Structure formats: C-alpha cells, structure tokens
Amino acid sequence: MTAHTIDTISEFMLHAGTDYRVYDMGRGIELMDAQTFLDLENNKLPVPCPRAGQAWFAVVFWNKNLSQEQYIWFVKLPIDERSLVVQAARNQFLEAVVKALGSQLEKSAEKGGQLPENPFIFTPSQQQLADINAIIRRDLALPARDGLNKAIEFVKNPTSDAWQELALQDIADLAAHIETDDIAKALEQNLAALPVQVLTALCSSFENSAYDDAFTDSLINLYSSAEYAEIQHMILRGLKGSQNKQKVSSFINKLLNEGEPDTECLVIIAGRHFRLLTDQTLLMNYFSKVIAQDSSYQLFRGIYADLVQVPETRIGLLTLMRKQDLPTDIANAIASLYQTVSPQKSAN
C-alpha cells in the first residue's frame, strides 16, 4: 500500500481491514454515515458543520481479528470558500499516515491509536473526550462503565456530597443514556437540585444526546429560574439535543424577542442552534440582538463570517445581504461587511 494508491481516508480504513465510524465534531458530536464522509472527501458534498475554517472529525476504528480495542483519530481538515475539504491537505494527511503506518493499523494500536505528528490532528477538550467516549461506547453497545451506575444513583438522590466522587466521564455516560427510562425520570425530577458543577457538565453533554419533550420542558423551565448566567449558557447548549426542534425554536424566539441574551448566549445560538437560523424571521431577530449587544458590528461580522461557511445557513445570509428595506441596524451592519472587504481589495 502506498500513498499513491489510496485516495481517501475511507479507502485507507477499508484497505486496512478495519470497521470504522466517523463523527462530525464541528458543532457538537454527530454520527456521519460512511457514504456521506466519502462524498465529503471527494468534494461531492460540502462539510455540514465547519468551524473556524476547518472540518473536525473523530474517526473511530477497530479490527476484531486483531484486538477488542477501539481507537480514535481526531482529524481536522481545512475547507475552501464553498466549504469543501481542501483535498491537497487531505492528501498530505494521508501521506503522513501511510508513510508512518503502511497498511498495518495495528502499529497505530500499539501506540494507543496515536498518529504521527502532523498539522491535521487535534486534541479535543476533556469534555469532548468524555462525550465522544460515552457516545462510542453506547453506539457500539459496549458494556457500561461502573461510573455510570454511580452517576445514576447520585441523580436519584442528589442531596449528598457524593457528586465530588463523580468523574467527568461518569457524567458524560449518564447523558449519553438519557433515553433510558429510569435516568430520564430521575433527571426530570431532580434536575434543579443538582450541584452547579454536575448540572453544567451534564448540560454540556446533553448537546450530544437525544431526548424527548418532557426533558426539553425541564431544561427550558430551569433556564428561567437559573441563578447564574453560566447555568443559562450551558442549558442553551444542552437544548441542542432536544428532538422537539419547534419547541426549542419557540424558546429561542421568545428569548430574542422578550429577553436580554448576553454575548455568550448569542454565540451559542450561532454555534449550536444554527439550523434554526434558516428561518428568516428568527435570523432577523437574532441579528438585531447581536447588533444591540455590540454597536461596533465586530460581533456581527464575526458571527456572519462563521455562519456563511455553514451550508445550511449560507443561502439565508446571502439572501439577507440582497434584501430590500432592511431595518436600519441590520442594513448598517451589512454595510460594515463591505467596508471591511473594500480596504483589503485595495491593499491587494
């Protein structure tokens, strides 16, 4: 096997005889089917959830004939102006991998799945590591860790100081199994009684889970009564996992129309609830709040630059730029986009 005969990461995994899964880690953690990932690699599809000009993936692989272990590569690849993977970068990544490992992924396994140093790998945060490990264990139906039972017992009786014995991984495992009846019931009953440390970690993990209407209501109600802005921020992140998108959309609309969301809330809406911003009315309300938060338009320009890379929101943003009779604040903010581009063109 040589770099010249392998054109994609997908092919490399298949030729190496491994089973594998790919998770998009750009804006949360979302499973991506193998064909979609291959199409992204071949520039047939844009990257759905880019962030900071990069596509972020966790590639999980295992070879049942060699080991019972699973290994993860955390790969980031630059995208172009159309949100397509820059294939030269992907090829450079493959060359580094093939040169170091050949076709023998067990060489990687001997090093705990680590790749040779290259500019296309990244180290997730501790929260992301806990979440992706919990999700993989759940998706592959691997035996539950002992810490999950400890976390379940705590949320059933959150009055003790036992939370200090919980690891971040225990809390992530709990969130990953929120569809389990006893866990869901315990969380609905005791969510407001959880220590801040446990609640914020849980809410961060909830963004990568999937839960029903009842728990969506619990989070929304808790947002209204939360004592600290930090809790509200994490609840807003956690609402990404709700399967009732209409209810979340209504909540965010109300927050924008009647509330005073701070900068962090506005950034979380763009980062985690970007799919809701395909609604033009919500988008206009959202940008009005962004501009009210920062009249220099710097925040607006940063969020616009971020969202215009996301395929689902790009068309709406480009349409907004051509829209007639815009409110003055939004019209002025859009004009500021042109003002920042024009000097750059003149300098070039």
Side-chain angles (χ1 to χ4, degrees):
M1 178 184 292
T2 68
H4 298 294
T5 61
I6 300 296
D7 295 323
T8 66
I9 298 171
S10 302
E11 287 182 67
F12 181 84
M13 289 293 167
L14 291 172
H15 280 279
T18 65
D19 292 311
Y20 71 98
R21 288 192 177 199
V22 178
Y23 293 85
D24 189 327
M25 295 186 67
R27 295 170 183 266
I29 300 173
E30 300 180 9
L31 179 64
M32 177 177 289
D33 68 68
Q35 185 59 52
T36 298
F37 184 63
L38 180 60
D39 288 343
L40 293 180
E41 289 200 81
N42 288 324
N43 283 172
K44 293 181 179 180
L45 290 174
V47 174
C49 299
R51 174 171 51 85
Q54 305 271 350
W56 307 77
F57 302 111
V59 182
V60 184
F61 62 93
W62 63 97
N63 187 327
K64 289 177 287 189
N65 295 324
L66 297 175
S67 170
Q68 296 301 311
E69 298 294 325
Q70 296 80 39
Y71 303 96
I72 312 175
W73 290 349
F74 295 105
V75 182
K76 63 175 183 177
L77 297 171
I79 59 172
D80 64 16
E81 67 281 357
R82 297 171 296 168
S83 299
L84 299 175
V85 168
V86 176
Q87 293 199 320
R90 191 274 319 278
N91 293 343
Q92 187 178 341
F93 168 77
L94 272 174
E95 288 172 6
V97 172
V98 172
K99 182 178 180 181
L101 304 178
S103 63
Q104 304 303 311
L105 276 180
E106 61 267 30
K107 292 182 181 179
S108 178
E110 290 169 2
K111 300 178 180 180
Q114 293 184 357
L115 285 171
E117 279 298 321
N118 67 80
F120 307 110
I121 58 176
F122 69 96
T123 302
S125 67
Q126 289 301 307
Q127 182 69 60
Q128 287 177 310
L129 279 173
D131 286 341
I132 189 67
N133 281 321
I135 289 167
I136 291 167
R137 184 167 287 271
R138 179 199 65 198
D139 290 355
L140 298 183
L142 299 174
R145 296 182 178 88
D146 292 338
L148 174 59
N149 292 326
K150 187 165 58 174
I152 292 172
E153 290 306 310
F154 175 75
V155 296
K156 287 181 177 179
N157 180 28
T159 57
S160 70
D161 291 332
W163 70 267
Q164 298 181 48
E165 300 175 10
L166 295 178
L168 187 61
Q169 188 64 64
D170 303 334
I171 297 172
D173 289 345
L174 184 74
H177 290 85
I178 191 175
E179 79 285 354
T180 306
D181 288 343
D182 63 334
I183 294 176
K185 184 177 179 180
L187 284 171
E188 287 170 25
Q189 291 177 344
N190 298 320
L191 193 63
L194 295 176
V196 171
Q197 296 88 338
V198 175
L199 179 61
T200 52
L202 265 175
C203 286
S204 184
S205 294
F206 286 150
E207 72 175 48
N208 303 311
S209 305
Y211 52 83
D212 60 14
D213 288 8
F215 194 68
T216 302
D217 289 335
S218 297
L219 283 176
I220 290 174
N221 291 336
L222 186 58
Y223 183 97
S224 301
S225 61
E227 294 183 38
Y228 306 106
E230 180 189 8
I231 296 176
Q232 292 184 322
H233 298 157
M234 301 312 288
I235 290 171
L236 191 56
R237 281 183 59 175
L239 282 168
K240 178 180 183 289
S242 172
Q243 297 305 287
N244 192 326
K245 302 306 179 187
Q246 184 56 51
K247 188 168 287 188
V248 175
S249 179
S250 297
F251 166 72
I252 290 179
N253 254 314
K254 184 177 181 180
L255 178 64
L256 295 173
N257 287 326
E258 302 175 16
E260 294 297 332
D262 60 17
T263 299
E264 184 68 16
C265 281
L266 294 169
V267 170
I268 290 169
I269 291 172
R272 296 299 187 264
H273 300 285
F274 61 93
R275 292 185 175 98
L276 301 180
L277 297 177
T278 56
D279 179 280
Q280 280 284 310
T281 300
L282 197 155
L283 181 65
M284 297 274 280
N285 291 340
Y286 172 72
F287 275 143
S288 289
K289 285 294 186 182
V290 169
I291 295 162
Q293 189 70 22
D294 176 17
S295 58
S296 74
Y297 306 129
Q298 183 174 348
L299 180 61
F300 170 84
R301 290 194 294 268
I303 290 174
Y304 186 98
D306 174 56
L307 290 176
V308 81
Q309 288 190 319
V310 178
E312 284 188 64
T313 52
R314 179 184 293 128
I315 293 175
L317 293 179
L318 297 178
T319 299
L320 187 66
M321 292 187 74
R322 297 189 293 268
K323 194 175 179 65
Q324 300 297 315
D325 302 322
L326 285 169
T328 302
D329 59 343
I330 296 179
N332 290 340
I334 289 174
S336 78
L337 291 173
Y338 291 106
Q339 292 167 4
T340 56
V341 171
S342 296
Q344 292 176 7
K345 288 186 176 179
S346 299
N348 292 334

